[in-house]
Amino acid sequence: MSAPSELLNVQIDGIWHQFQKGTRVIEACAQAGKFVPHYCYHPKLSSPGNCRMCLIEIGMPKLGPDRKPETGTDGKPLINWIPRPQISCAQDISEGMGIRTESPMVKECRNGVMEFLLINHPLDCPICDQAGECQLQEYSVEFGTAGSRFLEEKVKKPKRVEIGPRVTLDDERCILCSRCIRFMKEVAHDDVLGFVSRGSHTYLTAHPDRLLDSNYSLNTVDICPVGALTSSDFRFKMRVWFLKETKSICTSCATGCNTIIGTRQNQVFRQTPRENDAVNSAWMCDYGRLNYHYVNSTDRLQTPQIREGQELVNTTWNSALVKAGEELKQFSKDGIAVVASAKMTNEELWLTKNLTELVGTSHCDIIPRSGAADDILMSADRNPNTLGAQLIGLTGEKPGLRLKDIAEGVRSGTIKAVLALGEDLTQIGLQADELKKLASLIVLDILPTETTRSATVLLPSSAFCEKRGSMINIKGRLQRLHRATQPPGAARDDWEIVRDLIQKLTGSNGIYLIEDVFKQMTDSIPDMNGLSLSRIGDKGVQLVEETEEAPAAI
Amino acid sequence: MASTTRTAHPREKRVIFKNIDRPGWTNDIGCYLQDGGYEDLKKAIAMNPQDIVTEVKTSALRGRGGAGFLCGVKWGFIKPGGSKPVYLICNADESEPGTFKDRYIIHQDPHQLLEGMIISCFAVNARLAYIYIRGEFPEGAKILERALAEAREHGFLGKNILGSGFDLEIYVFRGAGAYICGEETGLIESMEGKRPYPRIKPPYFPAVLGLYLCPTIVNNVETLCNVKYIVRMGGAEYAKVGTRVLCVSGDVQRPCYCEFEVGGITMGELIYDICGGLKPGRTLKAVIPGGSSAKVMSAKDRYKIKTKQPDGTIRENEMGLEDVPIDFETLAAAGSMAGSGGVIVMDDTRDMVWALNNINEFYAHESCGQCTPCREGSLWMKKITARMLHGGGVPEDSDTLKRVADNIAGRTICAFGEACAWPTQSFLDKFPEEFVATAKRMGNGNGSTNH
Ligand SMILES: Cc1cc2nc3c(=O)[nH]c(=O)nc-3n(C[C@H](O)[C@H](O)[C@H](O)COP(=O)(O)O)c2cc1C
Ligand code: SF4
Ligand code: SF4
Ligand code: SF4
Ligand code: FES
């Protein structure tokens, strides 16, 4: 369908390369292994060319009297070098172009820009959150000089500005690259940031009477090359070089933005977006990003419990699972209901589906969750894996349709046992006293709810960052979650709990590793045939065609 | 407007400034028409627009806004028959220190400008044009509004101008009060309602991606006035007798504006014959020949200038500053530029560190702050010269100043980078001993600052 792409010949530091037509000069250099330092350039935003860090030398093919390029003894075109340095971030390559990224002039330019950027910079690295991932620090080491010739007083600007509910601004650290302004205008569609005043006194601010309060505000913190914009949530909590980084996905809506979870000593400190053009470009929303604090909550359920009269008492995993198995065996198939969650992974859902088939009930569903969608990333479906639940068959085409029957069955007493996985049943209209009447209420969850308090068997499970597994986003992309932290106390990974529950009903089922679950699942679901967890990779695979026409060939 | 009038010096050749201070002259259309006004428009509108462009090319008319770019070449970038509308903008933001000519045209002879503009719009097929007038010229804006209304009433503007089928509207746009609004792409951004941040070129050459990303011609007031005379006398004739307005300020007895054939007067004649010479007992020290950003020329230097002889041979003449003729090529060959025509004269009482600091203050104040080298460098240079003046000089200051300026020039988004670096580079180049002496005389040598 796409036209055959044209390749252009470009000389970089004396060596000829070929690049696709339309490649930015700075990107061509990167592809050739010649990193060009830059501040204002961001591949997802427009190019203002304001920082001047990316200055290089450019030349055009030398034309002879016949207007044809002249060639040298090596048969390659001769190059006419433009005497002034040129920026590499705003121009595409052209045929026969020459580029120098290491010449004395280029080095001098970088050195000059670094010195200019530093003279009015507060140099408060020891107390700056950006330290460790600051491009000003990094480039200073590589392209700057150690001493300063600056004897003057630095320009004073506003500090500790609460520019929005989640972002703190230090204008003295700002290098005026305008990335944040362009992000808010071009991506978040909320043109709320801008520069005021002039010259070296220019500073960043929000529009009068406005705050940087967009649901995408924290992306400005990510792309700010220095410590001018910091996350009020993360500020002063942890040095970034101590953070362990785990690739995962956000589970706060069906978009499934790709993330990096930053943790230390089994605690989550932040989530940042991970680039994936098929999903979230380089962004994520603030809601999803900050929706992790509950994971670190001291209320987390940590020990399996069983009911003894009015009390839930601690017990071992084995005795809790034995009791759960025994309870389930007491009831005939339609006396049992399974309420699962579309926040569960495919692996968990698939095992749960097996369990429902084993006990023979048709009373199973997930609880839908929705909110307002925006035209940026956020999906109206606030469950991250609805598509997975549908594909696996735990819910129908319209998720939640069977919940009413389940609630009525509980009330009328036809349903005597409920297995609730990660959901609070008050959401389907059941009150605590109604839940207490159940002969069996087996609950997997991470935090106390009305449902956990009414359980007969309570099985503490894992949060999204403690899990391995996969989910399918709203666009039919299969993506992986990775374990960033261990669940607290004796809590376990959900898939293991469900597997063990099945084993209590049937004996061993040959599943030891999550890979085994995945293998059985992919074998049994045609759309997933032939996949393995490792084949999903960091960026996921398209499982079902976005258009919902024909399933994609994988 | 001050009512004091000055008569032109007999050596002047007043064309553009013919009506400035002319006894009995008023700036209404009646007066202009009685004097043969809009006749050149009538001639032009009967011509083929491309022929006007050709005449302007032949005339070798150079832009009077500062860069001296060939007007015909600029117009030639507009390709006839494009799908986007073409805009023309008259740059009346006149803010370069030492330059005060456009305001007189606007105040006293607005119809001359309008006639030149209408012809220019016809030539490049612009149907909508703007006069971007400096925010601090409220009176000028009113005068232009009235002149535009008069021109509309007389059918020189609006639909079907003079029965030609050509439609044109011109509007006055009042500037935003910053020097950088005069830079043509900053001007365009400002017209689009944004901060006047100059655009990167490539890709935003106004003739390709100008106002609202449509092809746009930006010309200075004086440049556009000249087009009228090119139409009248033809490009070839204009190339021989074209004039230029100069504004002389500084240490002369009679600061003034005046007009001569391009290259028709030397620096010495200008200072001594036209402006009444220096103040008593003073000697000439230096001249900034083309607005504050032009490189300073020292009276001590000898200038080697190549001139074309009538027989076509090239001869190199060595001359002093006072003998340098004021034209584009000569001043460029002498290491400076004709720029905006603002000639700033300095006599031997001037302290060059003080003079440079004065210029540095202006540029530090006016840098738009968009790009790193100019934003940080312009203020740094000012802080150094200010410190030197206030007694905090250190021996390294000359060297630091020069390196800061070298790190700005050629590395910025717009020509403001050169405008702010050239003064420092040239002052240090021409008067190095004064900077060394100031650092020594006043310096406490320990590098501490006193603010
Ligand atoms: C910092 C800066 C300020 C400028 N200010 C003016 C100005 O006030 N008036 C003007 O005509 N040109 C000014 N220019 C030049 C314009 O950018 C542009 O070159 C000019 O208007 C083109 O007209 P011309 O070709 O007729 O000279 C300025 C340029 C720079 C870099
Ligand atoms: S706050 Fe950061 S991203 Fe925004 S302009 Fe300043 S340095 Fe750039
Ligand atoms: S858009 Fe959805 S998936 Fe992306 S960060 Fe927000 S809540 Fe998470
Ligand atoms: S050179 Fe100066 S005035 Fe021009 S864009 Fe850069 S900062 Fe602004
Ligand atoms: S990265 Fe090119 S100018 Fe900033």
Side-chain angles (χ1 to χ4, degrees):
Chain A
M1 233 164 45
S2 62
S5 53
E6 203 182 319
L7 288 176
L8 301 180
N9 296 293
V10 175
Q11 191 206 65
I12 300 182
D13 294 329
I15 296 167
W16 286 93
H17 301 262
Q18 288 196 322
F19 302 103
Q20 301 280 347
K21 191 179 176 187
T23 306
R24 224 25 97 85
V25 169
I26 196 170
E27 297 292 353
C29 293
Q31 286 172 29
K34 302 286 185 169
F35 175 78
V36 178
H38 54 273
Y39 288 113
C40 66
Y41 172 71
H42 189 288
K44 306 287 183 201
L45 302 173
S46 62
S47 299
N50 63 30
C51 75
R52 316 307 280 182
M53 191 62 199
C54 70
L55 287 168
I56 51 157
E57 283 190 73
I58 288 184
M60 292 301 173
K62 193 172 178 181
L63 299 181
D66 55 353
R67 311 282 307 149
K68 294 232 172 74
E70 287 182 13
T71 46
T73 44
D74 60 352
K76 297 285 190 189
L78 293 175
I79 293 167
N80 245 347
W81 295 96
I82 304 173
R84 285 162 149 244
Q86 305 288 314
I87 53 171
S88 53
C89 60
Q91 228 190 106
D92 288 350
I93 51 152
S94 59
E95 178 59 31
M97 182 184 264
I99 294 170
R100 289 179 181 148
T101 71
E102 293 169 342
S103 66
M105 189 209 278
V106 172
K107 285 186 181 154
E108 227 177 82
C109 288
R110 290 175 183 170
N111 208 292
V113 171
M114 280 315 302
E115 181 173 29
F116 283 137
L117 285 175
L118 289 172
I119 55 172
N120 282 305
H121 196 81
L123 295 177
D124 51 3
C125 311
I127 56 152
C128 177
D129 271 302
Q130 192 82 1
E133 52 186 8
C134 172
Q135 265 136 282
L136 203 59
Q137 276 189 333
E138 284 161 22
Y139 294 174
S140 288
V141 175
E142 221 168 320
F143 311 108
T145 39
S148 167
R149 295 177 284 163
F150 190 73
L151 305 175
E152 327 305 326
E153 256 187 46
K154 292 182 191 252
V155 174
K156 298 278 184 295
K157 292 186 189 178
K159 294 183 83 77
R160 285 177 299 279
V161 182
E162 284 180 24
I163 195 157
R166 295 172 291 282
V167 181
T168 308
L169 165 67
D170 182 325
D171 269 308
E172 288 183 350
R173 292 181 189 155
C174 170
I175 59 163
L176 303 165
C177 73
S178 80
R179 277 182 172 191
C180 55
I181 299 175
R182 284 173 282 140
F183 170 83
M184 287 309 297
K185 182 175 175 178
E186 296 164 16
V187 180
H189 308 306
D190 182 10
D191 194 4
V192 66
L193 296 179
F195 291 137
V196 292
S197 207
R198 223 157 54 193
S200 186
H201 302 281
T202 306
Y203 65 96
L204 179 78
T205 186
H207 193 277
D209 299 329
R210 276 292 321 271
L211 287 171
L212 174 62
D213 56 4
S214 145
N215 189 29
Y216 293 85
S217 70
L218 284 165
N219 293 289
T220 63
V221 173
D222 300 329
I223 58 176
C224 179
V226 293
L229 293 169
T230 49
S231 158
S232 307
D233 178 60
F234 179 66
R235 212 169 137 79
F236 302 137
K237 300 257 166 64
M238 183 51 63
R239 280 308 195 182
V240 294
W241 54 83
F242 290 132
L243 291 178
K244 183 183 91 179
E245 298 195 326
T246 308
K247 291 173 186 160
S248 194
I249 56 173
C250 172
T251 58
S252 293
C253 88
T255 302
C257 293
N258 290 207
T259 60
I260 290 173
I261 306 177
T263 58
R264 182 162 194 239
Q265 292 180 337
N266 213 38
Q267 199 185 331
V268 179
F269 280 90
R270 69 173 185 187
Q271 297 190 87
T272 46
R274 182 164 56 88
E275 190 169 329
N276 187 341
D277 283 343
V279 183
N280 55 310
S281 187
W283 324 117
M284 74 187 293
C285 78
D286 292 2
Y287 165 74
R289 183 193 301 251
L290 296 179
N291 193 11
Y292 72 86
H293 288 280
Y294 65 89
V295 169
N296 298 334
S297 163
T298 48
D299 289 346
R300 283 288 299 271
L301 303 174
Q302 305 204 9
T303 320
Q305 291 182 315
I306 50 176
R307 179 162 299 281
E308 285 183 0
Q310 291 299 310
E311 298 285 305
L312 276 169
V313 294
N314 291 351
T315 183
T316 62
W317 271 105
N318 191 46
S319 53
L321 287 163
V322 166
K323 178 152 191 286
E326 279 166 0
E327 286 184 3
L328 285 177
K329 280 183 200 157
Q330 284 172 30
F331 304 101
S332 66
K333 37 191 176 173
D334 279 332
I336 302 176
V338 175
V339 178
S341 173
K343 295 199 286 184
M344 294 162 73
T345 63
N346 289 325
E347 293 71 14
E348 294 158 5
L349 290 167
W350 188 77
L351 286 169
T352 307
K353 172 69 177 166
N354 281 357
L355 187 67
T356 60
E357 281 167 1
L358 205 63
V359 298
T361 178
S362 56
H363 292 307
C364 67
D365 211 335
I366 57 163
I367 301 184
R369 211 173 243 105
S370 61
D374 61 25
D375 58 355
I376 303 169
L377 285 175
M378 228 183 175
S379 161
D381 184 354
R382 295 292 155 81
N383 275 327
N385 196 22
T386 306
L387 229 54
Q390 285 171 322
L391 207 59
I392 286 158
L394 260 179
T395 184
E397 200 164 314
K398 260 200 165 308
L401 266 192
R402 305 172 193 150
L403 292 172
K404 202 164 152 251
D405 286 350
I406 294 175
E408 255 149 39
V410 171
R411 282 196 196 100
S412 67
T414 55
I415 292 175
K416 299 187 172 57
V418 176
L419 172 61
L421 302 106
E423 296 286 9
D424 177 10
L425 299 178
T426 59
Q427 292 173 102
I428 64 170
L430 291 169
Q431 307 302 315
D433 54 334
E434 291 168 327
L435 294 174
K436 292 257 168 57
K437 279 195 292 195
L438 281 165
S440 166
L441 178 55
I442 302 163
V443 182
L444 279 73
D445 217 329
I446 62 170
L447 284 166
T449 65
E450 222 38 81
T451 306
T452 62
R453 281 187 280 273
S454 310
T456 55
V457 181
L458 178 56
L459 306 169
S461 59
S462 294
F464 71 96
C465 54
E466 296 152 1
K467 290 179 175 183
R468 297 176 66 205
S470 65
M471 291 187 179
I472 306 171
N473 82 350
I474 187 101
K475 289 183 174 172
R477 197 169 186 85
L478 182 67
Q479 310 196 94
R480 286 187 71 173
L481 285 83
H482 289 278
R483 171 178 282 168
T485 51
Q486 299 293 330
R492 292 174 71 191
D493 211 338
D494 303 46
W495 76 269
E496 291 176 323
I497 305 173
V498 183
R499 173 201 61 190
D500 290 355
L501 206 47
I502 293 172
Q503 285 179 357
K504 293 293 175 238
L505 298 176
T506 64
S508 174
N509 51 10
I511 292 179
Y512 303 100
L513 301 169
I514 189 128
E515 282 79 4
D516 301 331
V517 190
F518 196 79
K519 173 97 182 37
Q520 292 196 4
M521 175 176 75
T522 50
D523 286 349
S524 71
I525 296 175
D527 278 339
M528 294 191 186
N529 284 174
L531 272 174
S532 65
L533 263 181
S534 62
R535 265 200 58 197
I536 301 176
D538 287 342
K539 301 212 167 176
V541 291
Q542 202 62 34
L543 206 59
V544 266
E545 209 54 271
E546 266 181 56
T547 51
E548 296 180 36
E549 285 165 19
I554 296 166
Chain B
M1 275 245 58
S3 58
T4 49
T5 56
R6 350 172 8 266
T7 34
H9 191 277
R11 282 209 52 184
E12 284 190 52
K13 177 174 172 188
R14 292 254 178 135
V15 179
I16 306 294
F17 262 39
K18 184 180 95 185
N19 301 324
I20 308 301
D21 301 326
R22 183 171 160 188
W25 182 261
T26 54
N27 61 15
D28 58 277
I29 199 166
C31 185
Y32 188 69
L33 286 171
Q34 269 174 26
D35 199 46
Y38 288 105
E39 288 301 320
D40 298 317
L41 172 63
K42 286 177 193 157
K43 177 176 176 190
I45 216 137
M47 290 170 72
N48 179 340
Q50 273 309 305
D51 291 344
I52 303 178
V53 175
T54 307
E55 289 301 323
V56 171
K57 279 184 183 160
T58 310
S59 76
L61 171 65
R62 286 181 179 274
R64 305 297 200 238
F69 196 79
L70 286 165
C71 186
V73 173
K74 187 187 283 189
W75 288 12
F77 294 143
I78 305 281
K79 298 283 165 258
S83 58
K84 288 181 178 176
V86 176
Y87 297 110
L88 185 139
I89 302 171
C90 168
N91 189 342
D93 196 55
E94 186 169 67
S95 329
E96 173 90 354
T99 313
F100 42 88
K101 58 190 180 65
D102 298 342
R103 69 191 72 188
Y104 287 101
I105 298 172
I106 290 164
H107 280 156
Q108 298 190 30
D109 204 3
H111 283 287
Q112 177 187 206
L113 169 61
L114 296 192
E115 188 174 2
M117 256 185 104
I118 298 167
I119 297 171
S120 304
C121 288
F122 179 68
V124 299
N125 195 27
R127 308 295 172 108
L128 194 53
Y130 297 91
I131 304 171
Y132 187 100
I133 185 167
R134 182 173 170 180
E136 293 87 343
F137 291 169
E139 191 61 29
K142 271 192 217 148
I143 292 167
L144 284 172
E145 293 282 12
R146 203 193 64 203
L148 285 169
E150 289 172 338
R152 251 172 237 132
E153 272 167 29
H154 283 77
F156 301 133
L157 278 176
K159 295 252 174 263
N160 192 19
I161 294 170
L162 300 171
S164 63
F166 177 64
D167 307 336
L168 172 66
E169 265 314 330
I170 299 180
Y171 297 104
V172 174
F173 191 102
R174 289 197 51 197
Y179 171 66
I180 199 59
C181 291
E183 195 281 342
E184 55 191 5
T185 58
L187 183 155
I188 287 170
E189 285 282 297
S190 148
M191 282 190 65
E192 291 182 1
K194 297 177 249 173
R195 275 169 77 82
Y197 274 172
R199 296 173 173 174
I200 48 174
K201 295 148 246 165
Y204 299 105
F205 293 108
V208 187
L209 295 168
L211 184 62
Y212 308 120
L213 300 186
C214 294
T216 303
I217 291 293
V218 183
N219 273 130
N220 172 260
V221 171
E222 188 189 343
T223 314
L224 291 167
C225 291
N226 273 292
V227 171
K228 176 178 144 86
Y229 303 99
I230 292 169
V231 165
R232 184 184 299 174
M233 64 179 82
E237 179 65 12
Y238 179 92
K240 283 184 255 164
V241 301
T243 59
R244 134 145 258 192
V245 178
L246 298 176
C247 319
V248 190
S249 60
D251 300 326
V252 288
Q253 298 271 20
R254 284 197 305 276
C256 68
Y257 43 78
C258 43
E259 186 174 2
F260 304 95
E261 261 180 36
V262 177
I265 192 161
T266 64
M267 201 63 84
E269 290 165 340
L270 181 69
I271 295 170
Y272 298 104
D273 300 350
I274 311 297
C275 299
L278 304 168
K279 290 172 187 155
R282 308 271 180 89
T283 52
L284 182 64
K285 183 169 190 178
V287 173
I288 301 173
S292 59
S293 56
K295 289 190 172 175
V296 68
M297 299 169 79
S298 166
K300 275 187 300 196
D301 279 5
R302 305 290 295 168
Y303 297 89
K304 289 197 179 113
I305 309 293
K306 290 193 177 102
T307 44
K308 211 174 181 179
Q309 301 304 300
D311 63 2
T313 57
I314 307 267
R315 212 172 76 204
E316 194 181 83
N317 285 337
E318 205 188 277
M319 56 184 81
L321 174 58
E322 292 169 7
D323 296 324
V324 173
I326 303 175
D327 66 68
F328 292 96
E329 287 78 17
T330 310
L331 289 174
S336 188
M337 63 171 183
S340 60
V343 180
I344 303 168
V345 180
M346 288 181 273
D347 68 24
D348 57 341
T349 63
R350 291 294 160 195
D351 172 350
M352 286 306 173
V353 181
W354 178 89
L356 178 62
N357 183 57
N358 182 295
I359 296 175
N360 283 351
E361 275 179 0
F362 175 78
Y363 288 108
H365 187 258
E366 294 297 335
S367 162
C368 84
Q370 187 185 193
C371 65
T372 309
C374 165
R375 175 181 71 235
E376 303 301 338
S378 58
L379 183 63
W380 191 358
M381 292 189 298
K382 181 215 127 173
K383 283 182 173 173
I384 295 173
T385 48
R387 175 167 51 70
M388 291 176 81
L389 281 181
H390 292 112
V394 295
E396 298 77 34
D397 282 338
S398 293
D399 184 46
T400 308
L401 270 174
K402 181 176 175 336
R403 285 180 56 189
V404 172
D406 290 350
N407 277 336
I408 302 171
R411 302 180 186 177
T412 57
I413 291 179
C414 84
F416 187 110
E418 282 76 40
C420 74
W422 282 344
T424 292
Q425 288 175 331
S426 60
F427 273 71
L428 281 164
D429 182 36
K430 302 289 177 193
F431 305 97
E433 65 293 341
E434 288 198 34
F435 285 81
V436 172
T438 303
K440 242 192 217 145
R441 184 174 70 243
M442 313 189 89
N444 50 22
N446 64 8
S448 69
T449 55
N450 37 0
H451 287 278

